[in-house]
Amino acid sequence: MNDQSNKWIGKRTIRPDGADKVTGRAAYAADATMPGMIWAKVLRSPHPHAVIKSIDTSKAEALPGVKAVATAADFVDFPVDTPVPLGIQDMRWMSRNMLAKEKVLFHGHPIAAVAATNEEIAAEACALIEVEYEVLPFAIEIDDALAKDAPILHDFMKFDGKPSNIAGTLEHTLGDVDAGFAEADVVIERSFTTKPVHQGYIEPHACVVSVAPDNRTTIWSSSQGQFMVRAMTAYLTGIPQSNIKAIPAEIGGGFGGKTIVYLEPVATILSKKSGRPVKMVMTREEVMRATGPTSGSKSTVKIGAKKDGTIVAGKGTFYLQAGCLPGSPIRGAAGCAFAPYDIKNVHSLGYDVVSNRSKVAAYRAPGAPIGAFAVESVLDELARELGMDPLKLRLKNAAKEGTKAAHGPTYPRIGYAETVEAALNSEHYKTPLTGKFQGRGVASGYWFNAGGESSAQVNITEDGNVVVTTGHPDIGGSRASIANITAELLGINYDQVSVQIGDTATIGYSNLTGGSRVLFASAMVVTESTEQVIEQLKGRAAKIWGIDPSQVVWEGGEARPMGEHSANFPSMSLEELAAKANATGGPIGAGSQSNTVGAEGGFATHVCDVEVDVDLGIVRVLRYTCFQDVGRAIHPSYVEGQLQGGVAQGIGWALNEEYIYNKKGQVDNPGFLDYRMPVCSDLPMLDCGIIEIPNPKHPQGVRGVGEVPLVPGPAAVRNAVHDAIGIWIDDLPLSPPNVLAAIDANAGRQAAE
């Protein structure tokens, strides 16, 4: 398909959820209410690491207005020696993260929850719960957790046969790395650190849960997957999944941080115990202290190349913080770091390290920005050592169709080289910088993308409109894109299509919104459903005309007779066929369920211009352009929104965002005033170069878009800062104190020399 032949695919149609969101009519989880509803609050640990010796809830239970109290004892017990996998999570860790069991493992770790007639009473009751602790030493940073005398968080965790805070490893090997480095004329090895950063969604976690006397449970919540909520709640509470209906509210951002549960199982137990609907809403401080940021990291990358720029070997070692329980995204760091390049010899190794921080959660291409930050930084230094343009070095070594990647696949048709060429040929890259202490940086990045289970239903209404129901919460614009696709296939106006997000009792199983999978997967099942509906429509028209369905064609939103019958009958519109549906066989509709396959990875290349105030240490982004192979831009405005959003988050990760801990192991900046995310005044207009290399395995050519735009950002900014001031800064964030320290250290070195 191309834009000339399409009426709706590739067009900037009005977003179907836009009016409700800008007028305040959209219903989010915290907007939900029920008759008789009570409120719940959580008691959290004041210590980063301690054994829970006893919990006495009697005073809280006796407080007037308190209806129920819950502790870990009220939930299903998952012994630590038996894995309980659910998707990419393990319920052993999910249960201990939700409410502390044997030990508290981070400051803010939930210990108990109270439901009362109002929030004030619930909070007062939490303060009455008496917990006896045996306070333990704690480890916050990776080096602390790996030290010989480090406090061990989990006695059952072993590495190399010894108690350890290393929860596991992931390794990729391609070719012979030692032989590759022996061929190299230039070898550069550097080490890097990054800080944990939060997803920063504007809407805090919230839910309302009602458990009926027969255990029938209804959950309204803010999440990236209602089926995930249902499954995890069932596992953790023991209520069968068939008894739980999870209803997705609108979602005010997630970025991966709402792919697990924190509140829903707790509210479920409190509702069951009290017999009342229970509402829970996190404060911003609770979100920052106790929900998943992404990992901090410590990485070392070594790359060797010949004098002509051919990269012959790459080696990366990535230590990622999991927080207090196993599960850091080492797959993304180790798997994506070298993925944009055709390198014959690669060794990539990730370590999952626990420490006394809140358990990490996914964040937009989880792990990949960490791997890219190290690799893309070394590549920039390698280009300077070789005297090559940094983009031309990347283009010379670009992965292409037939490249064998270290993480496993042999690439089909991909568009990475096209992103580099677009950057090289762009007006942005060709425009010289003229100001003092201004610099330009580039970087590339990759994300796997995913398919997975999805379901859809397409129904024709009595007046000839279309209702599409899918099972994925819409975070990135999937409703608008699905409306475009359905309208295109049926040949009708896009505003005749209504796209709904079904709850777990309405639509078949659908995996969560994450991994850049939703439009890829939902478009497949919607296409299959719509094609079935078209066949039904052709059959209905054939029945009315008394001809064989094979003699009917569907074009331009109408059924038309073919061949010898073409002049015998007038065409019939969707509206006309819908009006006659009862007389021709009943309602018209079809559904499709599939475990979708064929998702291909996405690539991007970024160009960033900065200016550094060397007196204040402030880095200002002057100009930024993101070039990305999007497969097919079904709704270009939403694609641009995804790219711009990822870039903004990458800039924040690079320049200011970090968790700051005090000497007591407590987060010192648990709010948006002190946790410094970029706002509009911090950013220039963010430009997008949309490159379309259609995915041949998808009916509309879709590739996932949402993860990749975050991946190159931190490295692109870091490389631009070096270009501006001539100093390699290998530790993020590049905040004013850190930049000034690097400038002062460099001045000291120069003076000493």
Side-chain angles (χ1 to χ4, degrees):
M1 295 182 176
N2 56 57
D3 287 343
Q4 288 71 36
S5 66
N6 290 330
K7 188 174 182 182
W8 301 116
I9 289 178
K11 300 302 187 288
R12 300 174 186 270
T13 52
I14 301 290
R15 55 187 289 177
D17 54 323
D20 282 353
K21 285 181 175 173
V22 299
T23 59
R25 292 183 53 174
Y28 294 85
D31 296 320
T33 60
M34 287 192 72
M37 185 181 78
I38 57 178
W39 287 80
K41 300 295 284 185
V42 173
L43 173 68
R44 299 181 181 277
S45 169
H47 307 293
H49 196 195
V51 174
I52 300 173
K53 302 194 75 173
S54 67
I55 302 176
D56 184 350
T57 62
S58 58
K59 291 180 181 178
E61 291 166 345
L63 185 70
V66 170
K67 302 299 181 182
V69 178
T71 67
D74 295 302
F75 294 83
V76 175
D77 182 29
F78 295 104
V80 295
D81 57 356
T82 305
V84 187
L86 179 64
I88 64 171
Q89 301 297 336
D90 190 317
M91 293 302 99
R92 294 176 295 172
W93 318 139
M94 202 57 53
S95 66
R96 286 165 173 80
N97 191 55
M98 179 187 63
L99 282 178
K101 192 171 176 60
E102 303 90 355
K103 296 201 293 184
V104 295
L105 296 164
F106 64 94
H107 177 249
H109 198 162
I111 297 170
V114 177
T117 50
N118 61 47
E119 288 182 274
E120 291 75 17
I121 294 174
E124 183 182 350
C126 283
L128 294 175
I129 297 173
E130 296 176 351
V131 185
E132 183 183 358
Y133 299 100
E134 178 188 335
V135 178
L136 301 172
F138 58 86
I140 299 295
E141 304 298 342
I142 290 174
D143 286 343
D144 300 332
L146 297 180
K148 287 184 178 181
D149 59 349
I152 301 299
L153 271 65
H154 306 288
D155 294 337
F156 59 85
M157 196 175 289
K158 302 287 195 297
F159 185 76
D160 284 342
K162 300 175 183 177
S164 174
N165 289 320
I166 296 176
T169 62
L170 178 69
E171 188 171 16
H172 297 297
T173 302
L174 181 67
D176 184 333
V177 171
D178 291 337
F181 281 118
E183 296 178 29
D185 297 313
V186 177
V187 175
I188 293 179
E189 182 175 14
R190 296 287 179 264
S191 294
F192 305 88
T193 65
T194 68
K195 298 293 188 182
V197 296
H198 199 272
Q199 295 84 351
Y201 34 82
I202 298 302
E203 179 201 21
H205 297 263
C207 69
V208 174
V209 180
S210 176
V211 181
D214 63 356
N215 263 1
R216 295 287 175 178
T217 302
T218 306
I219 302 172
W220 293 264
S221 71
S222 171
S223 82
Q224 290 179 235
Q226 62 274 33
F227 291 90
M228 173 274 300
V229 169
R230 180 180 71 176
M232 288 192 180
T233 301
Y235 269 86
L236 296 170
T237 65
I239 297 174
Q241 288 198 50
S242 56
N243 281 8
I244 299 174
K245 178 166 74 170
I247 301 172
E250 288 292 342
I251 180 169
F255 313 111
K258 293 178 180 174
T259 57
I260 59 176
V261 294
Y262 298 97
L263 301 179
E264 293 91 337
V266 177
T268 298
I269 290 297
L270 291 170
S271 178
K272 184 176 181 179
K273 294 179 80 168
S274 67
R276 303 272 288 271
V278 172
K279 184 169 188 172
M280 300 185 78
V281 180
M282 282 191 182
T283 64
R284 178 61 56 189
E285 181 172 328
E286 287 180 307
V287 170
M288 297 300 291
R289 288 199 193 282
T291 71
T294 194
S295 303
S297 71
K298 175 183 175 181
S299 306
T300 299
V301 163
K302 179 180 178 181
I303 298 177
K306 290 184 173 295
K307 291 178 181 177
D308 67 354
T310 302
I311 298 173
V312 291
K315 182 177 182 180
T317 305
F318 308 97
Y319 291 88
L320 270 63
Q321 291 167 330
C324 61
L325 293 156
S328 71
I330 52 176
R331 172 178 176 263
C336 296
F338 294 99
Y341 305 106
D342 186 357
I343 307 173
K344 304 304 180 188
N345 306 292
V346 176
H347 181 246
S348 188
L349 176 60
Y351 289 89
D352 186 24
V353 182
V354 297
S355 61
N356 294 113
R357 297 172 173 266
S358 56
K359 175 176 166 51
V360 301
Y363 179 26
R364 208 167 191 162
I370 290 170
F373 174 64
V375 168
E376 297 296 313
S377 295
V378 172
L379 281 177
D380 224 58
E381 190 169 348
L382 184 66
R384 291 176 183 274
E385 185 73 18
L386 293 168
M388 289 186 69
D389 179 286
L391 284 178
K392 290 180 179 177
L393 174 65
R394 288 166 171 82
L395 185 60
K396 181 177 182 63
N397 295 283
K400 52 192 175 296
E401 185 173 2
T403 293
K404 172 67 174 175
H407 67 280
T410 298
Y411 291 134
R413 177 73 171 95
I414 58 174
Y416 172 54
E418 284 84 349
T419 70
V420 182
E421 289 168 343
L424 265 170
N425 296 323
S426 67
E427 184 265 340
H428 180 175
Y429 199 66
K430 291 178 178 179
T431 301
L433 292 167
T434 57
K436 192 176 183 181
F437 302 122
Q438 292 182 353
R440 176 168 295 153
V442 301
S444 296
Y446 167 86
W447 178 248
F448 311 104
N449 293 335
E453 306 94 332
S454 291
S455 300
Q457 183 74 29
V458 176
N459 293 99
I460 307 301
T461 64
E462 296 87 335
D463 60 354
N465 287 314
V466 182
V467 177
V468 182
T469 306
T470 72
H472 316 96
D474 179 7
I475 297 181
S478 55
R479 277 178 291 209
S481 295
I482 288 298
N484 281 7
I485 289 171
T486 307
E488 190 74 51
L489 294 171
L490 284 168
I492 59 176
N493 197 293
Y494 86 96
D495 59 13
Q496 290 179 254
V497 181
S498 172
V499 182
Q500 310 294 323
I501 313 301
D503 60 51
T504 57
T506 302
I507 192 68
Y509 179 81
S510 299
N511 211 327
L512 49 73
T513 298
S516 294
R517 63 169 295 275
V518 166
L519 184 59
F520 171 86
S522 61
M524 281 185 156
V525 290
V526 167
T527 296
E528 292 171 0
S529 302
T530 305
E531 288 173 345
Q532 293 176 50
V533 166
I534 289 171
E535 290 304 309
Q536 292 180 31
L537 292 167
K538 289 162 61 177
R540 300 300 176 92
K543 189 172 185 178
I544 292 168
W545 294 329
I547 63 177
D548 190 271
S550 64
Q551 296 298 303
V552 180
V553 65
W554 186 266
E555 289 180 344
E558 297 179 328
R560 297 172 183 168
M562 296 170 57
E564 60 181 309
H565 302 291
S566 59
N568 298 339
F569 308 105
S571 60
M572 295 189 71
S573 67
L574 182 60
E575 293 83 353
E576 291 171 315
L577 288 166
K580 297 178 182 291
N582 287 343
T584 58
I588 301 170
S592 178
Q593 302 82 35
S594 179
N595 187 3
T596 60
V597 297
E600 298 296 347
F603 296 87
T605 298
H606 293 191
V607 182
C608 172
D609 296 349
V610 302
E611 184 173 70
V612 180
D613 185 324
V614 295
D615 296 317
L616 299 177
I618 296 171
V619 178
R620 296 183 177 90
V621 178
L622 304 176
R623 186 174 184 180
Y624 204 113
T625 309
C626 167
F627 299 91
Q628 185 166 320
D629 171 18
V630 305
R632 189 62 201 275
I634 304 298
H635 194 292
S637 295
Y638 261 122
V639 170
E640 290 171 351
Q642 289 283 339
L643 304 191
Q644 291 163 337
V647 166
Q649 290 175 321
I651 291 170
W653 197 336
L655 293 184
N656 291 300
E657 294 186 45
E658 63 175 316
Y659 271 57
I660 298 172
Y661 280 77
N662 63 26
K663 293 180 180 179
K664 296 180 180 179
Q666 302 166 336
V667 179
D668 246 1
N669 60 333
F672 284 163
L673 285 177
D674 298 314
Y675 179 86
R676 187 72 171 81
M677 293 198 309
V679 296
C680 287
S681 57
D682 296 317
L683 301 172
M685 292 299 292
L686 304 173
D687 297 322
C688 303
I690 294 177
I691 296 157
E692 296 184 281
I693 309 295
N695 177 0
K697 299 177 183 178
H698 191 273
Q700 286 83 33
V702 169
R703 295 180 196 269
V705 170
E707 321 285 291
V708 183
L710 175 58
V711 179
V717 175
R718 178 263 189 190
N719 292 339
V721 169
H722 170 267
D723 194 47
I725 61 175
I727 303 170
W728 298 112
I729 305 178
D730 298 334
D731 305 297
L732 296 185
L734 304 176
S735 57
N738 293 345
V739 171
L740 283 177
I743 291 172
D744 291 344
N746 187 67
R749 282 194 298 269
Q750 290 179 340
E753 291 169 359

